[in-house]
Amino acid sequence: MLKIEHISTYYGNIQALKDISISVSEGEIITLIGANGAGKSTTLMSLCGIVPVRSGKITFDGQDITTMTPDKIVSLGISQVPEGRRIFPLLSVKENLDMGAFLRNDKEGIKRDIEYIYTLFPRLAERRNQQGGTLSGGEQQMLAISRALMAKPRLLLLDEPSLGLAPLIVQQIFEIIKKVNEENKTTVFLVEQNANMALKIAHRGYVLETGKITMTDNADKLLSNEDVKKAYLGI
Amino acid sequence: MINLKKIRKAILTAVWFMFLTFPLMVMKVNTIENTVQWRWINLAYIGISAFIFSLFWEDLLKRRDNIASKDKKKSINNKISRKLENKKIRNISLFVLILIVVLFPFIMSMYQTSIITTALMYVVLGLGLNIVVGFGGLLHLGYAAFYAVGAYTYGLLYYHFGLSFWLCLPLGALFSALFGIILGFPILRLRGDYLAIVTLAFGEITKLVLENWNDFSFGPSGIANIPRPMFFGIKLKLAEVTNFTYFIAIGLTILTIIVIKRLESSKIGRAWEAMREDEIACQSMGIDITKAKLTAFSMGAVWAGIMGVLFAAKTTFINPASFTTWESIVILCVVVIGGMGSIPGVIVGALIFILTPEYLRAFSEYRMLIFGLALVIMMIFRPGGIIPKIRKTHQFKVKEVKE
Ligand SMILES: Nc1ncnc2c1ncn2[C@@H]1O[C@H](COP(=O)(O)OP(=O)(O)O)[C@@H](O)[C@H]1O
Ligand SMILES: [Mg+2]
């Protein structure tokens, strides 16, 4: 479905990504794990067209999206939950969700999907008229994911959904990510520092170290890999 | 309520204010006779008012906090808007308003009509800038440049080709919008302070070009004898044309309100809203941020262009001095004081902001002082503006599922 082939990305003269290749097939949960500053967010931003790629090629369903603008990429069915959630703080929960459906025109479908979101996250239903900025961290993360889902993506990109959240909430959120993947066949590309949690729900994983992919394997194999254990699982 | 400590504090404040305003309020230099006039009585006024004001300052602040924390349903805004929901009351007040608007120029003097026309022009200018600043969240300090583009469009097209006011009205809008796009491109990546600085420079550059490019714009001497609007090809007498201009201003104001209301609830309006809140998130929603920014600038510029044409026609004379940075600041103040993003707020803001100085001509010497004071007090007591933007809250109930 998604193929990233040998991409390199620079911030000015500093190379943040070095010859990265990742492939994602339909229906999978893929995780990209790595330490802080490894280039995980940069990978997602390059993929979404927000940060330009200097060399290499990205294709989605065989279509070259390397130099496409972010809005075109979203319209193809790739939607991103950016790092740090970035919900619209002054808009209500409901308006945030509406904003997620910006490119859609099917009013009935949007209404139905909002109801689906509310069953997925009953907490958001209770707070539908509350301003986004006044939600707790966990609720904001739920909102950010829901907002991305409102675009009816085929590929959902998540940038560190566990960031700054209590373990219990992280657990909840990851369960829902898994549920969305299973129920809607949404392909998920999950970027995480919390390798343990991410590898538990993912099918396959990639390990990123200072801009380079150093390892890739099935998730359970990575979980039991000695190097990964030492570096990312703290065992 | 009032104790010794408070009184002491108030006295200190009063003394401080007397000291602070001394050069401005007490000394008056007569440059002709080379004498200094000492107006000690002013010092007493300042002292007494500062004393009283500071005595009640804390109570005022407390009251503000009380009001803010109280149930919102009790606030004045809501009372008014709920009254207006009543159809009968709404129809009556609408009828009265229309009656006043229509009869105004026939009852009042030409001078009054002219002042109101100016105020209406600022309503439109404020609403236009509100698109950029209020909806789009882009701080724009060079808005007067677009105003100048409109005015010079009419001035120059009349001078060279004899084009009429009515033809120039859409042309002014068009040129202004183009100018908005031209400015938009280089600043696409800028935000916040940087954007403010660049737009400020843009306004200043426009003025300097108009001042110095004599062959094109006739420099500081400007363009004179621009014709007033004609009524279906008929030239009107001065009194008639003043009324006519007033009605044109009314018409354009209504048009602006309708168009901007439409824009606000349209798709592009929502894109602006998202852009104002968070640019990266906005892009992740599939919103084309380049398009959103450029449309905000050009849609904002359109109204300045139209008003520029009307301004040229109203005053019959234009020169660069009418389009200074101060002009941009005044329009920005109208938006901020009225209530950023709030259409009724901007309307009321413009009327108050432009009309008050006109009717307080007696105090014209202290205009800036009163101005500044009013701004500071405003920002403390009504930080959202006179009529803050009311965020729509959508209510819809989940149907109960029967088991
Ligand atoms: N906007 C930026 N400008 C310059 N350098 C950046 C920028 N964003 C990230 N970087 C650098 O790129 C590298 C990768 O960052 P990032 O992708 O955010 O890492 P991660 O998400 O894995 O923590 C880091 O060294 C970081 O300092
Ligand atoms: Mg990151």
Side-chain angles (χ1 to χ4, degrees):
Chain A
M1 179 186 222
L2 177 78
K3 254 202 164 84
I4 300 176
E5 290 167 286
H6 308 290
I7 60 162
S8 296
T9 300
Y10 290 73
Y11 290 110
N13 285 325
I14 301 161
Q15 186 167 11
L17 297 184
K18 297 163 191 156
D19 197 29
I20 297 241
S21 298
I22 294 173
S23 71
V24 183
S25 14
E26 193 110 39
E28 268 190 314
I29 298 182
I30 283 286
T31 182
L32 178 67
I33 55 175
N36 201 3
K40 304 181 297 297
S41 301
T42 308
T43 309
L44 282 196
M45 290 294 186
S46 309
L47 180 48
C48 295
I50 294 175
V51 177
V53 178
R54 195 167 290 182
S55 63
K57 193 175 168 193
I58 306 172
T59 53
F60 183 65
D61 284 340
Q63 192 177 359
D64 191 342
I65 60 166
T66 320
T67 54
M68 263 190 201
T69 51
D71 53 298
K72 288 270 156 45
I73 292 174
V74 176
S75 70
L76 291 178
I78 299 181
S79 110
Q80 186 202 16
V81 181
E83 186 171 12
R85 313 186 255 275
R86 289 184 175 270
I87 53 152
F88 301 115
L90 295 180
L91 303 192
S92 69
V93 168
K94 163 78 168 46
E95 286 171 313
N96 265 282
L97 294 176
D98 275 339
M99 215 48 109
F102 188 81
L103 291 177
R104 292 170 59 181
N105 289 317
D106 54 325
K107 273 204 174 138
E108 281 309 306
I110 292 173
K111 227 173 176 175
R112 213 169 329 113
D113 286 349
I114 288 186
E115 288 306 327
Y116 171 68
I117 295 287
Y118 285 159
T119 55
L120 218 53
F121 298 104
R123 282 237 238 159
L124 293 184
E126 287 164 28
R127 292 166 170 70
R128 63 186 71 180
N129 290 323
Q130 195 174 322
Q131 272 187 359
T134 60
L135 297 175
S136 76
E139 290 159 0
Q140 289 194 8
Q141 188 63 59
M142 293 175 192
L143 180 57
I145 294 174
S146 309
R147 188 182 60 182
L149 286 176
M150 284 304 295
K152 265 194 178 297
R154 294 179 45 225
L155 175 62
L156 178 65
L157 311 174
L158 294 155
D159 195 344
E160 298 205 35
S162 72
L163 195 74
L165 299 182
L168 210 66
I169 310 249
V170 174
Q171 185 101 39
Q172 263 180 28
I173 284 176
F174 275 49
E175 269 161 24
I176 287 189
I177 293 170
K178 206 168 169 195
K179 194 170 161 194
V180 166
N181 169 258
E182 283 164 2
E183 278 184 4
N184 307 340
K185 306 277 166 287
T186 310
T187 314
V188 176
F189 188 155
L190 171 65
V191 159
E192 259 303 340
Q193 252 190 88
N194 189 336
N196 188 23
M197 294 288 292
L199 288 171
K200 269 185 189 148
I201 66 160
H203 302 115
R204 290 191 301 124
Y206 289 82
V207 180
L208 187 66
E209 265 172 47
T210 53
K212 269 196 199 125
I213 300 278
T214 53
M215 232 186 289
T216 169
D217 212 330
N218 286 337
D220 43 351
K221 289 226 177 90
L222 283 178
L223 261 177
S224 54
N225 183 297
E226 288 304 318
D227 294 337
V228 174
K229 267 188 184 169
K230 240 183 254 160
Y232 301 104
L233 304 177
I235 306 170
Chain B
M1 204 81 164
I2 296 170
N3 53 26
L4 214 64
K5 211 169 136 200
K6 261 192 189 170
I7 291 174
R8 204 167 58 209
K9 203 172 148 200
I11 290 174
L12 273 177
T13 313
V15 170
W16 173 241
F17 263 87
M18 280 151 76
F19 174 72
L20 213 70
T21 53
F22 183 80
L24 199 68
M25 302 297 292
V26 179
M27 291 196 289
K28 184 171 186 173
V29 182
N30 190 330
T31 43
I32 300 163
E33 292 169 26
N34 276 329
T35 53
V36 178
Q37 206 184 328
W38 303 92
R39 299 170 299 179
W40 295 109
I41 187 76
N42 279 353
L43 198 63
Y45 289 148
I46 294 279
I48 292 166
S49 37
F51 177 78
I52 294 172
F53 210 67
S54 97
L55 209 54
F56 296 110
W57 183 249
E58 272 170 27
D59 294 330
L60 285 175
L61 281 183
K62 243 184 237 149
R63 254 195 63 183
R64 173 196 70 169
D65 293 341
N66 278 345
I67 289 171
S69 63
K70 247 191 231 159
D71 193 3
K72 277 207 179 126
K73 276 176 194 148
K74 281 181 190 150
S75 79
I76 303 165
N77 280 341
N78 261 317
K79 260 189 212 155
I80 293 174
S81 59
R82 263 213 269 137
K83 279 248 166 71
L84 285 180
E85 264 166 35
N86 185 331
K87 260 214 173 126
K88 213 167 155 193
I89 296 177
R90 195 173 60 188
N91 285 344
I92 290 173
S93 35
L94 205 66
F95 180 74
V96 171
L97 186 71
I98 291 174
L99 210 65
I100 294 174
V101 165
V102 171
L103 291 183
F104 188 88
F106 303 110
I107 298 169
M108 301 305 238
S109 69
M110 214 166 96
Y111 171 69
Q112 300 288 347
T113 310
S114 168
I115 289 176
I116 295 284
T117 308
T118 306
L120 285 171
M121 289 169 61
Y122 278 91
V123 169
V124 175
L125 287 169
L127 287 172
L129 183 60
N130 186 42
I131 294 181
V132 187
V133 179
F135 296 167
L138 307 162
L139 185 52
H140 190 343
L141 294 181
Y143 194 63
F146 299 137
Y147 193 29
V149 170
Y152 273 86
T153 300
Y154 181 33
L156 290 173
L157 286 181
Y158 169 75
Y159 184 86
H160 292 297
F161 307 107
L163 295 192
S164 75
F165 167 79
W166 291 107
L167 201 59
C168 285
L169 211 53
L171 284 177
L174 184 73
F175 281 126
S176 234
L178 281 180
F179 229 61
I181 292 173
I182 291 170
L183 167 68
F185 270 113
I187 58 176
L188 276 175
R189 293 166 156 276
L190 301 178
R191 228 168 300 165
D193 337 5
Y194 299 103
L195 180 70
I197 292 170
V198 174
T199 49
L200 185 71
F202 170 78
E204 207 50 34
I205 289 169
T206 309
K207 200 195 102 196
L208 284 174
V209 167
L210 289 176
E211 246 165 24
N212 293 297
W213 193 0
N214 285 320
D215 300 333
F216 172 70
S217 63
F218 307 101
S221 52
I223 306 168
N225 295 326
I226 301 168
R228 294 195 163 87
M230 294 225 261
F231 184 70
F232 294 109
I234 307 163
K235 219 173 158 205
L236 300 169
K237 284 199 284 291
L238 185 60
E240 287 167 348
V241 88
T242 307
N243 290 356
F244 186 45
T245 313
Y246 165 84
F247 284 114
I248 293 174
I250 291 276
L252 288 174
T253 308
I254 294 171
L255 178 77
T256 315
I257 295 171
I258 294 172
V259 172
I260 289 182
K261 273 222 139 126
R262 280 271 161 119
L263 274 177
E264 191 188 15
S265 52
S266 72
K267 204 147 200 177
I268 190 74
R270 283 173 59 207
W272 290 335
E273 196 165 33
M275 174 173 80
R276 183 192 62 213
E277 301 254 305
D278 191 317
E279 287 197 8
I280 290 202
C282 167
Q283 282 176 303
S284 325
M285 299 299 100
I287 293 166
D288 185 347
I289 204 149
T290 309
K291 207 170 104 192
K293 269 195 185 169
L294 289 183
T295 46
F297 269 108
S298 52
M299 286 289 133
V302 160
W303 306 107
I306 292 177
M307 281 306 114
V309 175
L310 186 61
F311 173 77
K314 182 175 180 284
T315 56
T316 72
F317 167 72
I318 51 170
N319 74 348
S322 305
F323 310 105
T324 54
T325 298
W326 174 241
E327 197 62 32
S328 302
I329 304 280
V330 166
I331 303 168
L332 186 67
C333 283
V334 163
V335 176
V336 173
I337 288 186
M340 249 193 262
S342 145
I343 294 174
V346 172
I347 296 170
V348 173
L351 293 179
I352 291 180
F353 204 77
I354 303 304
L355 292 182
T356 319
E358 291 292 342
Y359 291 117
L360 291 181
R361 283 229 176 256
F363 302 99
S364 62
E365 262 180 88
Y366 310 112
R367 206 164 163 161
M368 287 298 113
L369 203 67
I370 296 172
F371 216 64
L373 200 66
L375 265 179
V376 171
I377 291 175
M378 262 300 302
M379 287 301 115
I380 291 172
F381 288 100
R382 285 196 84 93
I386 298 171
I387 306 180
K389 185 177 172 65
I390 306 169
R391 294 219 46 84
K392 270 184 264 167
T393 43
H394 308 262
Q395 292 275 3
F396 72 105
K397 300 206 169 79
V398 191
K399 281 174 217 131
E400 300 237 341
V401 186
K402 278 177 197 148
E403 306 268 319

